[in-house]
Amino acid sequence: MDRITYAIFTDKSIRLLGKKKYTSNAESGSTRTEIKHWVELFFGVKVIAMNSHRLPGKGRRVGPIMGDTMHYRRMIITLQPGYSIPPLRKNFNKNT
């Protein structure tokens, strides 16, 4: 699970959920086949298609030195009908 960093929840990604398309960010060094294989094994679903694009890092300044944050890959994963990925939630116990 170290390749996929987190799920994306924007207006477009929420609209795509109705079409069985899930959006997430992944490390830029990971390939499409690695991500597809990992999603199928971890969630037990069948992936029809994957679209991906690489997003550039943002510029950051620390004093006089200008640097960049790491770039990452955004994946849009389409599942076969009848499959779905459950929402990832963290359960919090209020008593603790």
Side-chain angles (χ1 to χ4, degrees), residues 20-38:
K20 298 288 185 189
K21 294 184 179 186
Y22 296 86
T23 308
S24 64
N25 281 349
E27 293 179 1
S28 64
S30 56
T31 62
R32 293 174 56 158
T33 53
E34 288 175 350
I35 298 295
K36 178 180 176 181
H37 181 67
W38 184 86

Side-chain angles (χ1 to χ4, degrees), residues 36 39-47 77 79 83-86:
K36 178 180 176 181
V39 167
E40 287 180 344
L41 284 177
F42 188 75
F43 292 112
V45 297
K46 294 292 182 184
V47 176
I77 302 165
L79 301 181
Y83 289 98
S84 66
I85 294 177

Side-chain angles (χ1 to χ4, degrees), residues 81-94:
Y83 289 98
S84 66
I85 294 177
L88 299 176
R89 283 189 207 167
K90 194 171 198 177
N91 292 332
F92 292 103
N93 190 354
K94 295 181 180 180

Side-chain angles (χ1 to χ4, degrees), residues 1 3-9 23-26 72 74 88:
M1 187 164 161
R3 291 287 186 178
I4 295 180
T5 54
Y6 53 89
I8 302 297
F9 295 105
T23 308
S24 64
N25 281 349
Y72 54 94
R74 177 146 311 155
L88 299 176

